[in-house]
Amino acid sequence: MSEHSANPSTATPPTGRPRAVKAVIPAAGLATRFLPATKAVPKELLPVIDRPVLQYIVEEAAQAGLADVLLITGRGKTSMVDHFDRRPDLEARLEAKGDAERLAAVKRPSELAEIYTCRQPEQLGLGHAVGYAESHVGDQPFAVLLGDEFVKPDEPLLPAMLELQARTGGVVLAFFEVDPAETKRYGIASVEPAEAELTDVGEVVKVTGMVEKPKPEEAPSNLAVLGRYVLPGKIFDAIRRTEPGSGGEIQLTDAMELLRNEGTPVHAIVYRGTRYDTGMPLGYLQTVVQIAAEREDLGGEFRKWLAEFVNSDASGGPST
């Protein structure tokens, strides 16, 4: 049986609209920035100390009551599914040794959620990947969690997004603020104030458009798209009607913009919590260091060593 928080879907929202209960994680990419490490090991399984990135993401979904998770995979990525399977041989060995702590850690991935998979034969854009979820999701709303970023468990984001989507029935995004000079690295949104009745959910804005990686002087705001989406089922029809865009790929942004132009409301929650981005080597290293420094079992000794290392001189010796 899956371990997850009280499922908010059991309560019908005041609008009468269904609440999303399934999560989709696109994870078929080649992760060329991490080659050669990702030639044989999926980027999503790179460890953040003793848990792979993907487990943090599935834990985030399960914490929000999304206990049905579809992984969109590609060639050479079956080990992602293996991570969430049982290992009776390993469990028996740990049990025989009386290692209850590691036994619980090994069992935990298989208890988080029901894991399903679908193969994306070619990587032709995020919209193309999400389109493969249609047979699993149907016409119901669902969440999309990108496989290289996650948020701090005690600063959750998804519950508010799920609530907002159940109220509006539209597209719900998540934004975070970036330095204006960094807008050229992200999808940037133009926004206006949200309807007053929605502001109790969080810091909600109404989206009026999105621009991909604009120059700082051309950016409509400093609100960048975070890799979390809650989408209505009609996104699949929009994806089918979306022509290849940036990079010759079918972009999810273009499909969402198509729906917005046809009258589907698009809102976003501005996230002020801690976001970990493991999509590039520097962000991955920063994530490992930050989480290690905050761990009760590692943090004290690690911070002490890190301070000594940072304060050491160029020759490698300790500073005086």
Side-chain angles (χ1 to χ4, degrees), residues 163-199:
E163 170 67 19
L164 182 58
Q165 200 283 329
R167 291 195 193 183
T168 66
V171 171
V172 173
L173 309 175
F175 296 152
F176 66 103
E177 286 191 322
V178 298
D179 187 288
E182 296 296 305
T183 58
K184 60 183 180 294
R185 294 180 52 202
Y186 301 97
I188 302 295
S190 55
V191 303
E192 61 184 33
E195 299 86 336
E197 64 269 20
L198 299 177
T199 55

Side-chain angles (χ1 to χ4, degrees), residues 42-67:
K43 177 183 70 172
E44 295 81 6
L45 292 186
L46 293 179
V48 177
I49 309 172
D50 52 9
R51 275 184 283 170
V53 172
L54 184 59
Q55 183 172 331
Y56 283 92
I57 295 168
V58 173
E59 287 174 345
E60 183 183 339
Q63 183 185 20
L66 302 172

Side-chain angles (χ1 to χ4, degrees), residues 12 24 32 37 43 51 54 84 99 183 190 213 276 307:
T12 302
V24 174
T32 55
K43 177 183 70 172
R51 275 184 283 170
L54 184 59
F84 295 95
D99 194 339
T183 58
S190 55
K213 300 179 180 178
Y276 303 104

Side-chain angles (χ1 to χ4, degrees), residues 159-164 167 197-204 269:
M161 295 181 69
L162 296 170
E163 170 67 19
L164 182 58
R167 291 195 193 183
E197 64 269 20
L198 299 177
T199 55
D200 64 312
V201 177
E203 189 175 344
V204 181
I269 292 178

Side-chain angles (χ1 to χ4, degrees), residues 1-5 51 55-56 58-60 62-63 83-87 91 100-115 153:
M1 179 177 292
S2 300
E3 171 195 328
H4 55 89
S5 59
R51 275 184 283 170
Q55 183 172 331
Y56 283 92
V58 173
E59 287 174 345
E60 183 183 339
Q63 183 185 20
H83 178 72
F84 295 95
D85 201 356
R86 293 287 303 274
R87 275 290 303 272
E91 292 171 17
E101 183 177 351
R102 286 190 175 85
L103 176 61
V106 167
K107 286 183 174 181
R108 179 167 171 74
S110 65
E111 298 169 343
L112 288 171
E114 299 295 334
I115 303 294

Side-chain angles (χ1 to χ4, degrees), residues 31 33-34 43 148-149 276-284:
R33 293 187 181 94
F34 286 87
K43 177 183 70 172
D148 53 15
E149 57 185 303
Y276 303 104
D277 184 356
T278 64
M280 300 184 69
L282 178 59
Y284 171 74

